[in-house]
Amino acid sequence: MTLLIGIPLETATGERRVATVPEVVEKLIKLGFAVAVQSGAGAGANFGDDDYRAAGAEVVATAAELWARSDIVFKVRPPSSEEVALMREGGMLIGFVWPAQNPELMQQLAARHATVLAIDSLPRTLSRAQKMDALTSMAGISGYRAVIEAAHAFGRFLNGQVTAAGKVPPARVFIAGAGVAGLAAIGTAVSLGAIVRANDTRAEVADQVKSLGGEFVKVDCDEEGSGGGGYARVMSEGFQQAQRAMYAQQARDADIIITTALIPGKPAPKLITAEMVQSMKPGSVIVDMAAEQGGNCELTVPGEAVVRHGVTIVGYTDLASRLARQSSTLYGNNLLRVVEELCKTKDGTINVDFDDDAIRGLTVIKEGNVTWPPPPIKQPAVAPKPQAAAAAAAAAPKKGHGSSEPMSAKSLAIVFGIGALAFLLVGLFAPATFLSHFTVFVLACFVGYMVIWNVTPSLHTPLMSVTNAISSIIAIGALVQVAPPLGGSAVGDRPSGLILGLAVGALALTAVNMFGGFAVTRRMLAMFRK
């Protein structure tokens, strides 16, 4: 019997997303499933019932009928108690569940003997799980939308302008937290022309902030903030004090603050105090992306935009839903990838394989048995890095004739003396033609080394490709062999068939080398242009 995937209308207030879109419906049907969609489920994301019918889905009139008939239900928001009561016995649910925050919901689902895959419980450290990572998809959209909301509330340009009517300074944006949402916000704000600064407890994200055009602001306290699963961890009190001092300074300078700090299963940390808000310039904006978990700002009102001390504080909890069509498309693709992992045979059958780390992490209830939290993922043994091993070997005292000490002045003088003697012998005994070519070769090596040494490493590939193209001077030699001799056409002056064939081959390969080198250079340089 063909399993039926049901897509109900989201009942949460203000939720406009839908769990799948028509283009994903077609792919689900190709995997061997049937799809039913509740009438009006996609209206908030601008997908009509006719769009789903055209993709091959059945449109069902009521939620009760959909839940009762569906073997698998796709959801965006966690189901309500009423929806759980409609769920068929032993059915499957895939969507956001948040098991740590919803223990009562977990018990209700277990009582229905359901199998539940919580998309928010995906082990994000697995590289193969990235295609299923709906948290990342939604966070990226939310970060983008946060900047749009900030720009709307700010009331003037984000980029600096000089016009006949006057000069407009660029807006100063500070972003607290450089995770997926924070990085999306950084990229969006920079592209709009703002001066962007960002901070995160994880030192390794500093390069990512800089690569997007932002400035990383470091807390004056040495403490590593990386936690498990790609999240930050709770920091010590000393670090938090230094962090608050830094935030107070940034609040006085910034026109817009966007906060993204959130640790799953914990209330949002309070980063922006009422005193910091009061110190901000009138007309400034705070967008609190952690509002749903209490907010990073003390004055945030979840779900609303309020004005306090002349500062607009945006606490919307539906940022991803405000771009419903885009977020529904990405979320639908994430769930499609989950189903592909569950149905590797592509015949419409489901296998919840606990030997698969990604599926084991997703599965919070299996056939009525609560399986959350999952056991820790066994990490493969990592071989020591060659650099670390080399450094350890260099640090260890060497026995015998070897020594880790730098070369002495006497040894250096001996090496240079031997080199000078070698050059003298070459100059005395080598032919004059060889000596001139050798001199050019040595100078070319020196100049080439100095040029490459002073070029940014990220530009080495385009530099080498264009150098490769220019160095194809061999084409001239091939042309000399192919062209008729000057001043005559004697048969004896013409190259043999073998030489002519090699010359033509050399021309063909050189042409590929030249045009290919310039093509690669152009494509590589295009990556650095906005």
Side-chain angles (χ1 to χ4, degrees):
M1 186 181 70
T2 303
L3 296 180
L4 179 66
I5 296 176
I7 314 297
L9 172 68
E10 295 294 327
T11 59
T13 304
E15 182 58 68
R16 291 184 287 273
R17 289 173 292 178
V18 62
T20 200
V21 298
E23 64 179 89
V24 175
V25 168
E26 296 176 354
K27 298 175 182 178
L28 291 170
I29 292 173
K30 288 180 180 179
L31 287 175
F33 298 95
V35 180
V37 181
Q38 184 181 346
S39 180
N46 296 318
F47 294 110
D49 291 347
D50 290 339
D51 296 327
Y52 286 103
R53 288 192 184 99
E58 176 189 358
V59 176
V60 177
T62 65
E65 181 184 356
L66 181 92
W67 281 90
R69 289 179 51 195
S70 299
D71 300 291
I72 305 169
V73 175
F74 285 0
K75 280 276 292 165
V76 179
R77 295 276 185 169
S80 63
S81 299
E82 293 77 12
E83 289 174 318
V84 175
L86 296 174
M87 188 176 185
R88 68 182 299 176
E89 194 85 9
M92 176 180 285
L93 172 69
I94 305 177
F96 284 106
V97 177
W98 305 108
Q101 291 95 317
N102 297 304
E104 293 182 4
L105 174 61
M106 292 284 287
Q107 293 303 320
Q108 292 171 4
L109 289 167
R112 303 293 295 176
H113 300 285
T115 296
V116 180
L117 275 67
I119 199 70
D120 47 89
S121 297
L122 180 74
R124 303 175 77 186
T125 55
L126 296 175
S127 58
R128 57 179 289 269
Q130 293 177 1
K131 61 185 179 182
M132 301 178 274
D133 191 355
L135 282 173
T136 294
S137 300
M138 298 302 102
I141 293 173
S142 298
Y144 173 89
R145 183 70 189 198
V147 177
I148 303 302
E149 295 292 342
H152 174 70
F154 185 45
R156 67 176 177 86
F157 301 139
L158 292 193
N159 64 318
Q161 294 187 15
V162 179
T163 68
K167 180 180 179 182
V168 179
R172 296 181 177 273
V173 178
F174 177 70
I175 296 174
V180 176
L183 291 174
I186 292 168
T188 305
V190 168
S191 67
L192 291 176
I195 297 174
V196 182
R197 294 177 178 175
N199 168 261
D200 197 281
T201 57
R202 297 161 293 186
E204 65 268 18
V205 305
D207 290 337
Q208 300 176 37
V209 172
K210 294 175 184 176
S211 69
L212 291 171
E215 176 189 349
F216 186 79
V217 182
K218 190 176 184 299
V219 177
D220 190 18
C221 181
D222 292 330
E223 184 176 346
E224 176 54 41
S226 295
Y231 297 98
R233 67 176 178 85
V234 178
M235 307 300 287
S236 68
E237 181 58 32
F239 182 92
Q240 293 181 31
Q241 288 181 359
Q243 187 182 52
R244 283 192 290 268
M246 182 270 290
Y247 283 152
Q249 176 62 42
Q250 294 301 320
R252 289 191 292 270
D253 295 340
D255 298 305
I256 295 172
I257 295 178
I258 298 175
T259 65
T260 70
L262 191 62
I263 300 174
K266 297 181 181 294
K270 300 299 180 184
L271 304 179
I272 307 299
T273 63
E275 290 77 12
M276 295 179 193
V277 175
Q278 194 169 2
S279 71
M280 296 180 71
K281 298 184 286 288
S284 299
V285 179
I286 297 174
V287 179
D288 193 340
M289 295 184 64
E292 194 165 9
Q293 299 298 325
N296 296 136
C297 176
E298 287 183 348
L299 303 180
T300 296
V301 178
E304 299 181 20
V306 297
V307 179
R308 299 288 185 268
H309 306 295
V311 177
T312 302
I313 304 173
V314 179
Y316 297 148
T317 59
D318 60 346
L319 291 173
S321 183
R322 288 170 180 258
L323 291 170
R325 189 179 181 93
Q326 181 68 76
S327 54
S328 297
T329 300
L330 296 184
Y331 184 69
N333 283 322
N334 291 140
L335 296 193
L336 170 66
R337 303 309 174 196
V338 173
V339 173
E340 287 178 342
E341 292 296 315
L342 293 170
C343 179
K344 294 182 178 179
T345 55
K346 299 183 179 180
D347 58 357
T349 59
I350 292 293
N351 177 27
V352 182
D353 183 9
F354 270 21
D355 291 331
D356 185 323
D357 288 334
I359 299 302
R360 176 63 188 90
L362 282 170
T363 307
V364 295
I365 300 175
K366 184 175 183 181
E367 298 174 356
N369 298 313
V370 176
T371 59
W372 187 88
I377 297 175
K378 294 181 180 179
Q379 300 292 342
V382 179
K385 295 182 178 181
Q387 295 89 340
K398 296 185 178 180
K399 298 180 181 180
H401 300 288
S403 175
S404 61
E405 295 297 325
M407 186 180 294
S408 63
K410 182 178 179 180
S411 301
L412 192 62
I414 292 173
V415 170
F416 273 100
I418 293 173
L421 180 61
F423 275 103
L424 178 62
L425 293 175
V426 169
L428 290 176
F429 299 102
T433 55
F434 172 81
L435 188 60
S436 63
H437 291 310
F438 183 70
T439 303
V440 172
F441 173 75
V442 172
L443 291 175
C445 289
F446 176 75
V447 173
Y449 174 79
M450 294 305 296
V451 168
I452 295 174
W453 181 264
N454 289 286
V455 170
T456 303
S458 59
L459 292 176
H460 279 174
T461 298
L463 175 65
M464 289 296 97
S465 59
V466 74
T467 304
N468 193 38
I470 296 172
S471 66
S472 298
I473 196 69
I474 191 174
I476 297 176
L479 287 172
V480 170
Q481 295 297 324
V482 173
L486 295 176
S489 58
V491 177
D493 295 335
R494 295 183 180 277
S496 64
L498 176 61
I499 298 299
L500 187 62
L502 290 175
V504 172
L507 275 177
L509 294 176
T510 302
V512 172
N513 195 34
M514 293 173 65
F515 290 106
F518 285 121
V520 170
T521 302
R522 182 180 179 186
R523 292 185 64 180
M524 290 295 297
L525 291 178
M527 296 172 61
F528 295 89
R529 299 191 185 102
K530 291 185 179 180

